[in-house]
Every structure is written in structure tokens, then in C-alpha cells.
Amino acid sequence: MYILSVCGMGFGTSLMLLMDIQSMAKEHGYTVDGEATDLGSAKGKNCDLMVASSEIAAELSDENVPIVSIDNLLDKNEIKEKILPMIEKLYKGV
């Protein structure tokens, strides 16, 4: 599974988000590869899932992969509640 985390500049926020996702996934037995990137570079990239803040996610609505919008990037519970079901779904191929 390959997840693209997206923020305005492509480092800092998106890298922190990707690390939180990978840590949470590992706790639940999943391996997640991914990349932290900026909005301009994210468009058209091949991945299984894109994750971004709600403002950035709105800009990704034309992409052909699921987009998960996170309202509070510091809220690990919100990240888990929104991302874990998507990871489980993608792993099961549903």
C-alpha cells in the first residue's frame, strides 16, 4: 500500500502526517509505504490513497484515488478513525 500525504509545501505537515499514519498502521499489523509531497506534485501521482488537510483535500477532488480529509492534523484519534478503515479496506481489496 502506498499513501501520499499532501500539504502546501511537501515537508513538515505532510511528513508528520505520513509518520503518524505509518506508526498507527504498524500498531495494527499493516505496512504502509508512502511519500510526503506538496499539492502541485501530488496531482497525477500513482498511489492507493491520498491524505491531506481539509483545505488541501478539496484541491485534490479530481484525483482518481480515495482522498481522506483530516480536519485537525494533530488529532491522532481523528487520523486513526479516518485512515485505519481505509487501510483495512484497501488491504482486503474491497
Side-chain angles (χ1 to χ4, degrees), residues 39-86:
L39 177 59
S41 300
K43 294 183 178 182
K45 280 206 171 187
N46 192 16
C47 62
D48 298 306
L49 177 69
M50 288 186 180
V51 183
S53 69
S54 53
E55 297 85 12
I56 298 290
E59 299 291 324
L60 296 167
S61 60
D62 292 338
E63 297 300 311
N64 291 326
V65 297
I67 309 292
V68 176
S69 169
I70 304 294
D71 296 321
N72 182 353
L73 297 171
L74 299 176
D75 185 348
K76 293 185 183 207
N77 286 328
E78 179 188 2
I79 294 168
K80 180 179 175 181
E81 289 172 6
K82 290 184 174 178
I83 305 294
L84 186 57
M86 296 296 294

Side-chain angles (χ1 to χ4, degrees), residues 8-28:
M9 298 298 288
F11 50 86
T13 304
S14 58
L15 183 58
M16 179 187 73
L17 181 58
L18 180 61
M19 292 170 60
D20 285 346
I21 292 168
Q22 289 175 321
S23 175
M24 178 270 302
K26 186 176 180 179
E27 289 174 11
H28 290 84

